[in-house]
Amino acid sequence: MAADVVIPTIGESVTEGVIAAWLKQPGDWVERDETVVELETDKVTMEVPAPAAGKLGEHAFSEGDTVEVGAVITTVDESAEKPEPAEVASSSDSSAAEASKAGESSASAEQGVAANDAARAQKASTPSGPSSSGSTAASATPLARKLADDHGVDLGHVTGTGAGGRIREQDVLAYVQAGGNGSPPAAGRSGPARDVTTERMSPLRKRVASRLVEAQQTAAMLTTFNECDMSAVMALRSRHKEAFGDRHGVNLGFMSFFVKAVVRGLRAQPAVNSFIVEDDEGKPAVQSHDYCDISVAVASPKGLVVPVLRNAESLSFAEIEAGIKDLAVRARDGKIALEEMSGGTFTITNGGIFGSLMSTPILNPPQSGILGMHAIKRRAVENPDASGEVVIRPMMYLALSYDHRIVDGEGAVKFLVAVKEAIEDPETLLLDL
C-alpha cells in the first residue's frame, strides 16, 4: 500500500510553491512525520513530512519546480520492510591498514593500498573549484550551489544549517557576508571582471515586489516626518538594561519603547490602525480594530518578512522584547509559520540598523500606516529646557507613511507627535500615562 505525499493547504492566498530541496531520495526509508522535502512559497519556507513510515518512491518533481497545492510529489510504500541497520563499511585504507597489522600480504591488499595512495595523491594535486564537487556539493541545495558559483565560494568551507547538515542558500549568503573568500580570477583574464548572472526571482521576492507595487498603485500614500531626542530613552536603558536582562532573560532594546509609543499613537489616532475594505455589497468601508497587532519588518536571507506581534497593547516591555526576538530569529531561519506573518494592523521598520538616516517606507497592504525608524545621530539642536541654547543630542528622524484615503494629514501628524513625545518622556510609557 502506498501513501501519497501531498503539498498541503498552506493558506487562503497561497496556491503554489517551489521545491527548494529534497531531503530524502527514492528508495530511502522514512519514518512517519519525517521531513521529506522543503517547500518555498511566496510567504514562508515550510517542511513537508512523510504521511507514513515506509520506502520513498520516485520524485514526481525536481528541485526548482513549481507545484500546486494538492499535488502528489512522491509516495511512501508502507508495505516495504524496514531495512536492518547496516554496519558501516570500512574504507579501503582502513582495510589495508588492518591487513598490514595482521600480517596479511596478499596481492589484492597490496593493490588496494597502492590504488588508494594513488587516488589520494591525485586528489591532493587537484585544486577544488569555487563550488566543490563530491559529498559537500551533493549535500547543498541547487540554489546554494548556484549562489556559491556566483560568489566564488568553496562549499567545503560553508557550514550547513539544513536538515542533516544540508547547505542552504542562506548559509552561503551568511558565509559571503562574513567575509568568506572566493576563488582567484580565471587564468589569462586581465582587468576587472565583467560577469553577468541571471537567477529566477524567489516566490518570496516576487510576493514582496507585487505587494509594494500594489501599495503604490492603490493607496494615496503620503509621508510625514518628525525627529525625536533619544537622550531620555538611552539614559533609562543604560541605567536598567543589566537588571532587566538578569530579571527577564532578554536584552532591553529600543524596539519595546517604540512599540509602546506606537500603541499610544494608535489609541490616539485610531484611523491609522484601520483598513479600507469592501463591505458585503462590494462598496468601500472602514474596518477598525480595538487591538494593536504590530508587524515588525525583518530582513531575512530570502527577503523582507513582517512577522506580527499580537496584542501589543497588552504586553509588557519584557514580553515585547522576547516576542520580537523570537519572531526575528525564526523568520531569519525560515521557521516561522504563515499565520504569524498575517493580520498585522500597523508596521514598524527600522532602517537605522543598516545606517539609513531618512527614508519613506512603503505601506504594507491593507494597512494604513507604517513607521520608519532611522539611525541615531548626534546633532546640534535647541535645548528644550533653555530657549536659544544649542546642545548636542542623539537624534532620530521618524517617518510615517500613511494612506491619505483614510488618514487625514492632521491625524498623521498628531500620531507622529504622540510617538515623539512618548520616546522623549519614556517614564509616561512605564506609568501608562
Side-chain angles (χ1 to χ4, degrees):
M1 179 179 177
D4 292 337
V5 179
V6 178
I7 299 298
T9 300
I10 306 166
E12 292 183 3
S13 61
V14 180
T15 60
E16 63 182 20
V18 173
I19 301 292
W22 281 103
L23 305 184
K24 292 294 182 178
Q25 301 304 316
D28 287 353
W29 179 268
V30 294
E31 298 293 343
R32 180 183 176 87
D33 295 329
E34 185 175 4
T35 301
V36 173
V37 66
E38 288 184 346
L39 183 74
E40 182 180 288
T41 75
D42 60 5
K43 293 186 177 179
V44 69
T45 298
M46 63 178 294
E47 298 176 343
V48 179
K55 183 178 291 186
L56 196 69
E58 294 295 324
H59 298 163
F61 299 90
S62 302
E63 292 181 346
D65 286 351
T66 299
V67 292
E68 294 183 355
V69 169
V72 177
I73 56 175
T74 187
T75 58
V76 176
D77 185 359
E78 299 179 75
S79 62
E81 294 186 4
K82 185 174 183 179
E84 295 293 332
E87 294 183 0
V88 179
S90 58
S91 63
S92 54
D93 6 353
S94 298
S95 299
E98 291 173 0
S100 176
K101 291 179 182 179
E104 297 179 2
S105 57
S106 65
S108 59
E110 292 176 357
Q111 292 172 356
V113 173
N116 204 50
D117 287 344
R120 284 198 300 269
Q122 181 179 2
K123 181 178 179 181
S125 64
T126 303
S128 60
S131 296
S132 59
S133 59
S135 58
T136 301
S139 65
T141 67
L143 290 176
R145 290 196 294 270
K146 185 179 186 309
L147 198 60
D149 288 335
D150 292 343
H151 290 277
V153 171
D154 182 351
L155 288 175
H157 299 156
V158 180
T159 301
T161 60
R166 190 175 179 88
I167 297 173
R168 305 168 65 183
E169 62 270 28
Q170 49 262 56
D171 301 323
V172 179
L173 283 173
Y175 179 80
V176 172
Q177 293 169 356
N181 295 324
S183 58
R189 174 183 293 172
S190 61
R194 290 175 55 81
D195 294 335
V196 176
T197 61
T198 301
E199 56 183 292
R200 184 170 57 182
M201 189 178 286
S202 70
L204 177 59
R205 175 61 63 186
K206 287 191 291 185
R207 178 63 173 170
V208 170
S210 66
R211 286 178 65 82
L212 294 180
V213 172
E214 175 191 351
Q216 291 187 312
Q217 292 180 341
T218 61
M221 194 168 67
L222 190 64
T223 303
T224 185
F225 298 91
N226 211 318
E227 62 179 355
C228 62
D229 185 343
M230 296 292 292
S231 300
V233 164
M234 294 174 70
L236 182 64
R237 179 173 176 264
S238 179
R239 291 197 303 270
H240 299 293
K241 64 179 181 180
E242 186 174 344
F244 186 92
D246 292 340
R247 170 67 66 87
H248 301 291
V250 65
N251 293 330
L252 176 61
F254 294 128
M255 283 302 296
S256 51
F257 290 95
F258 275 95
V259 169
K260 284 286 190 180
V262 162
V263 168
R264 173 172 295 183
L266 295 177
R267 291 301 198 197
Q269 303 296 326
V272 185
N273 199 40
S274 303
F275 299 164
I276 291 181
V277 297
E278 291 185 353
D279 61 16
D280 294 339
E281 298 179 359
K283 297 180 179 180
V286 176
Q287 181 184 95
S288 301
H289 310 97
D290 64 355
Y291 53 87
C292 301
D293 285 354
I294 307 299
S295 303
V296 181
V298 176
S300 75
K302 293 186 177 181
L304 183 72
V305 294
V306 279
V308 181
L309 190 67
R310 308 286 179 188
N311 294 112
E313 76 282 354
S314 64
L315 300 180
S316 67
F317 276 74
E319 290 171 332
I320 291 173
E321 292 290 353
I324 291 177
K325 179 181 178 181
D326 174 63
L327 291 171
V329 169
R330 290 191 292 114
R332 293 189 183 108
D333 293 342
K335 301 296 184 182
I336 198 163
L338 178 62
E339 57 269 18
E340 293 177 294
M341 294 192 291
S342 304
T345 62
F346 185 87
T347 296
I348 300 177
T349 179
N350 185 6
I353 61 176
F354 303 111
S356 172
L357 184 62
M358 184 178 288
S359 66
T360 56
I362 299 177
L363 289 173
N364 179 20
Q367 296 174 15
S368 300
I370 177 172
L371 176 72
M373 299 166 54
H374 299 92
I376 301 172
K377 298 292 183 181
R378 298 186 66 82
R379 300 199 304 272
V381 297
E382 184 180 27
N383 188 345
D385 300 321
S387 179
E389 180 183 343
V390 176
V391 293
I392 305 297
R393 294 289 179 87
M395 305 296 293
M396 176 191 288
Y397 286 121
L398 301 176
L400 173 71
S401 291
Y402 60 99
D403 190 344
H404 214 335
R405 296 177 301 169
I406 187 173
V407 180
D408 294 330
E410 178 186 2
V413 171
K414 287 183 175 179
F415 169 89
L416 207 51
V417 169
V419 173
K420 166 188 169 70
E421 291 177 344
I423 294 299
E424 293 183 341
D425 190 6
E427 283 83 0
T428 61
L429 293 175
L430 298 173
L431 299 175
D432 195 23
L433 296 177

